[in-house]
Amino acid sequence: MSTTDRTSDPDAPARASEAGVPSRADRAGGPGASDADGLLAEQLLRLTRRLHRIQKRHLEPVGITPAQSRLLRTVAAFGEPPRMADLAARLEVVPRAVTSLVDGLETAGRVRRAPDPDNRRVIRIELTDAGRATLRELRSARRAAAEDILAPLTAEQREVLGGLLTALVDPGPEGGC
């Protein structure tokens, strides 16, 4: 049923609600908005789980977990080798979680611990050549995973989704936690 058909059909709001499509009143915060918001939250959770499964499937051949992938990309994003505390802060996790991830990546030869040249008590995390090669593989795996998840969308829908996700992920100073 097209949008035009829905607006001229008095039963359209009920059918749209049954199909999981929020009505104008729901989107505007009217009666039933909390139900629509709950549905949206559930859909986002389901999408998150699906994204995780697809990403994990594409990362398996690289021999890396999604968490290790995120840590490796974070190490690469720093201008100089970061401290463990820097990584924990950037990833918004407890330092112990970073230690476990670094241990796994170090065992695989993708990162190494190196003493800070200015302070021997500080340990920095450096990418190895194998880590840089893994990052190249990760880019390809992430693109393939994104294509899997976005395949049903047109280019225009992808652009709209990108804008919506930006609004949710980066809500600005007044919308942050």
Side-chain angles (χ1 to χ4, degrees):
M1 177 179 294
S2 73
T3 306
T4 308
D5 295 338
R6 222 181 286 130
T7 56
S8 62
D9 180 354
D11 294 328
R15 277 197 300 281
S17 177
E18 290 167 6
V21 177
S23 70
R24 272 192 211 108
D26 291 342
R27 288 188 304 267
S34 63
D35 290 344
D37 289 348
L39 175 62
L40 284 172
E42 179 60 31
Q43 288 173 314
L44 287 170
L45 289 171
R46 288 176 52 212
L47 178 60
T48 299
R49 287 191 289 270
R50 184 167 179 240
L51 281 167
H52 187 75
R53 281 191 311 271
I54 289 171
Q55 182 182 28
K56 190 174 179 181
R57 186 178 73 232
H58 282 278
L59 293 178
E60 281 177 1
V62 180
I64 197 166
T65 68
Q68 288 174 328
S69 166
R70 187 169 174 233
L71 181 87
L72 205 57
R73 287 180 289 132
T74 302
V75 169
F78 277 88
E80 64 178 352
R83 298 173 307 138
M84 299 280 255
D86 298 331
L87 291 169
R90 178 82 55 95
L91 294 169
E92 298 178 340
V93 298
V94 297
R96 177 71 186 117
V98 171
T99 301
S100 297
L101 291 171
V102 168
D103 288 347
L105 289 169
E106 187 175 39
T107 299
R110 292 179 170 126
V111 298
R112 71 176 147 257
R113 288 173 167 90
D116 184 292
D118 299 324
N119 184 345
R120 292 183 323 165
R121 293 175 295 168
V122 173
I123 299 296
R124 298 208 173 256
I125 307 305
E126 297 178 340
L127 284 175
T128 63
D129 289 341
R132 283 185 275 285
T134 300
L135 281 170
R136 288 188 292 276
E137 290 180 71
L138 287 174
R139 284 185 198 101
S140 177
R142 287 170 54 85
R143 275 193 297 276
E147 186 53 43
D148 277 1
I149 199 75
L150 298 173
L153 302 179
T154 65
E156 181 180 322
Q157 289 171 323
R158 289 177 188 206
E159 189 174 323
V160 169
L161 178 61
L164 294 170
L165 291 173
T166 297
L168 293 173
V169 172
D170 301 320
E174 68 281 347
C177 294

